Amino acid sequence: MRRIGSVQILILVALAVCVGLQGTRVHAAPKGITDAQRTAYVAKAQVWDREQYEASRSLTVDAIKNGPTGEDAFTFNQAVTCRFVEPTLKNVIGGQTAKFYCGRGTDTAPCPECTVTQKELKVKYGSNPAANPEIYSEVIGTRLMWLLGFKADRDYPVRVTCVNCPADPWSVYQTFRGRVGGLDEHKPEDVARAASIAHDLGGARATRNFQSAVIEVKLPGDKLKVGDPKCESPANEATDPRCGGFSWKEIPTINPASGGAPREQLDAWQLLAAFMTHGDNKPGNQRLTCPAGSLAADGICSMTYVMIQDIGAGFGSAGFLGLGYRKADIGSWNSQSLWVDRNACRAKLTSIHELKNPTVSDAGRAFLAKLMDPAVLTDDKIAAIFEASRVTEKGDKFQGHPATVADWVGAFDRKRADLAQPCGGH
């Protein structure tokens, strides 16, 4: 898991006294920002980037299919060979869906056949095309947000050959996480204990192929989290917005007078979340971030953004009372209404978390509708998003036949046609 490092002002708690048989030990607090700094960063946060949106308007269909370029970029369906990275106390992975780290190898564990230069890449995968629907919904969501000008991580659909890999990489990371709770990465004896635990997990190693896989690359920049020891736990990062995330309940604290996003952009962002059925919107699935290039010489972030960082449960529907999700499911998504009450501008979003059936302004609806203008975001560009996701490999049926990219585009067009109509009695 990536630490904030030097991006924020460093806060050191002088002494944390622990009295016992070994005497007194001194611990430095984790690096991070203060609660007051976080409040100020949220107040001036943006959600939409005009420059990003304008640049996306001229992208070709092939460029959309390949995805964002730059460092750590991959092309559509690229064949990637990498070496399984054993779990350690520094790379514990949270969440519930299958993923693992894979990289270039090391001096002690070389990988001459590896085709990547990165030390660690996060690979999300399915043991078969239908096993992990998130590998499709995340590509659809991140590509759409990228084209519309909202910040998003980069997800690249690839075919992975994993060298020295267990048969079930995710079970290794999951079991490891469950057994190392309470161990401290700063204590050599705990590090050794964790290495011993990892060594005994997963059975025989071999070269494994994962045809249904996505490499997730974080948006360049730094997660802004408070310097609190509790924020070192992945479990707390998922639930406490102070630990780098963002709660939708904090929307009212984004203040245009402080330089924050205007109301219509905030409403458009919430409406987009409903459009994508982002029901699993707990604080850890959003992020407060300082994008690359926004760090001033004095260590202060000059421009902050809040963004959706995990849209894995999207493009489907939530179950009764928001329990359970159908992910990247065209039948569910197609039948999901955009509005609970158009006259009240109340969008449809079932969730057990903070953002549920959000009420927005017609100005926010109009802002999002303009970004989705069919004259700019043409059907062939929408098709490129769904083609890039490889969602048809999932094997779903739609209206009695195997779901096609054209079916997904049709569902998208019906929703944005609904979006184009005013709400709130206008």
Side-chain angles (χ1 to χ4, degrees):
M1 180 177 296
R2 190 177 182 185
R3 299 298 195 268
I4 289 182
S6 59
V7 172
Q8 282 69 249
I9 292 180
L10 307 183
I11 305 166
L12 296 179
V13 174
L15 295 175
V17 181
C18 177
V19 179
L21 293 177
Q22 301 299 319
T24 301
R25 294 183 179 181
V26 178
H27 301 276
K31 298 173 183 178
I33 58 176
T34 66
D35 283 300
Q37 285 175 318
R38 185 181 183 280
T39 297
Y41 281 150
V42 170
K44 70 175 186 177
Q46 305 296 314
V47 296
W48 183 74
D49 185 336
R50 179 181 296 278
E51 184 176 346
Q52 175 183 321
Y53 170 69
E54 293 296 339
S56 76
R57 288 163 59 96
S58 61
L59 290 173
T60 65
V61 167
D62 285 342
I64 293 169
K65 195 169 179 178
N66 280 320
T69 57
E71 187 178 1
D72 294 338
F74 295 86
T75 56
F76 176 68
N77 259 349
Q78 182 173 333
V80 172
T81 300
C82 52
R83 195 180 199 282
F84 181 71
V85 176
E86 300 290 343
T88 70
L89 294 177
K90 291 185 177 181
N91 68 3
V92 175
I93 303 179
Q96 300 299 320
T97 58
K99 60 186 82 71
F100 64 95
Y101 284 114
C102 202
R104 65 172 182 253
T106 63
D107 291 339
T108 55
C111 184
E113 64 268 60
C114 285
T115 59
V116 298
T117 59
Q118 297 86 345
K119 182 180 178 181
E120 288 188 346
L121 290 165
K122 182 183 282 187
V123 178
K124 296 189 175 183
Y125 72 100
S127 56
N128 61 70
N132 185 0
E134 290 198 13
I135 63 176
Y136 310 112
S137 54
E138 289 208 355
V139 175
I140 299 168
T142 54
R143 294 292 166 91
L144 179 60
M145 289 186 286
W146 171 50
L147 294 182
L148 296 180
F150 296 93
K151 296 299 182 185
D153 292 329
R154 298 177 285 165
D155 288 272
Y156 298 99
V158 294
R159 312 294 187 187
V160 171
T161 297
C162 177
V163 177
N164 199 53
C165 211
D168 187 354
W170 175 230
S171 71
V172 172
Y173 273 88
Q174 257 191 324
T175 305
F176 179 83
R177 182 179 68 190
R179 293 185 183 177
V180 299
L183 297 185
D184 187 343
E185 68 180 80
H186 302 292
K187 296 180 180 179
E189 63 272 24
D190 283 358
V191 173
R193 172 62 181 151
S196 176
I197 291 171
H199 181 269
D200 294 334
L201 298 178
R205 301 299 198 254
T207 296
R208 320 278 184 181
N209 294 307
F210 300 97
Q211 294 300 298
S212 301
V214 166
I215 289 176
E216 180 187 86
V217 178
K218 292 298 184 185
L219 179 78
D222 291 271
K223 181 186 292 188
L224 297 171
K225 63 181 181 180
V226 171
D228 185 331
K230 70 178 292 188
C231 291
E232 295 301 298
S233 166
N236 290 330
E237 286 202 359
T239 58
D240 188 341
R242 298 168 63 251
C243 299
F246 178 80
S247 168
W248 297 93
K249 292 181 179 179
E250 297 180 285
I251 286 278
T253 68
I254 297 177
N255 185 2
S258 299
R263 168 75 187 277
E264 65 268 19
Q265 292 180 15
L266 295 172
D267 285 348
W269 188 45
Q270 294 176 87
L271 186 53
L272 177 61
F275 186 98
M276 300 189 297
T277 61
H278 178 44
D280 189 11
N281 55 66
K282 56 182 172 285
N285 284 347
Q286 290 75 238
R287 184 160 86 241
L288 174 64
T289 186
C290 180
S294 297
L295 182 67
D298 58 3
I300 300 298
C301 184
S302 60
M303 177 173 288
T304 57
Y305 278 84
V306 288
M307 57 181 278
I308 296 172
Q309 72 169 357
D310 190 339
I311 187 63
F315 299 93
S317 64
F320 182 64
L321 298 178
L323 301 174
Y325 299 97
R326 300 191 67 85
K327 309 169 184 178
D329 185 302
I330 186 171
S332 297
W333 192 55
N334 182 68
S335 63
Q336 181 92 343
S337 173
L338 182 60
W339 302 103
V340 171
D341 184 345
R342 180 189 291 278
N343 288 332
C345 288
R346 190 180 179 204
K348 171 70 173 176
L349 182 59
T350 303
S351 177
I352 62 173
H353 302 294
E354 288 92 346
L355 188 65
K356 56 190 77 174
N357 295 342
T359 297
V360 300
S361 63
D362 187 62
R365 177 212 57 80
F367 186 91
L368 183 60
K370 185 175 181 180
L371 298 182
M372 290 192 185
D373 184 348
V376 178
L377 192 62
T378 55
D379 276 356
D380 59 344
K381 292 183 177 182
I382 296 301
I385 293 174
F386 292 111
E387 288 170 5
S389 75
R390 305 180 302 198
V391 68
T392 55
E393 294 182 9
K394 184 167 171 269
D396 287 344
K397 297 284 188 180
F398 181 65
Q399 297 179 348
H401 63 267
T404 66
V405 166
D407 292 327
W408 278 97
V409 173
F412 186 99
D413 280 342
R414 284 187 287 276
K415 288 180 179 293
R416 75 168 162 185
D418 203 9
L419 176 68
Q421 301 304 311
C423 67
H426 289 268

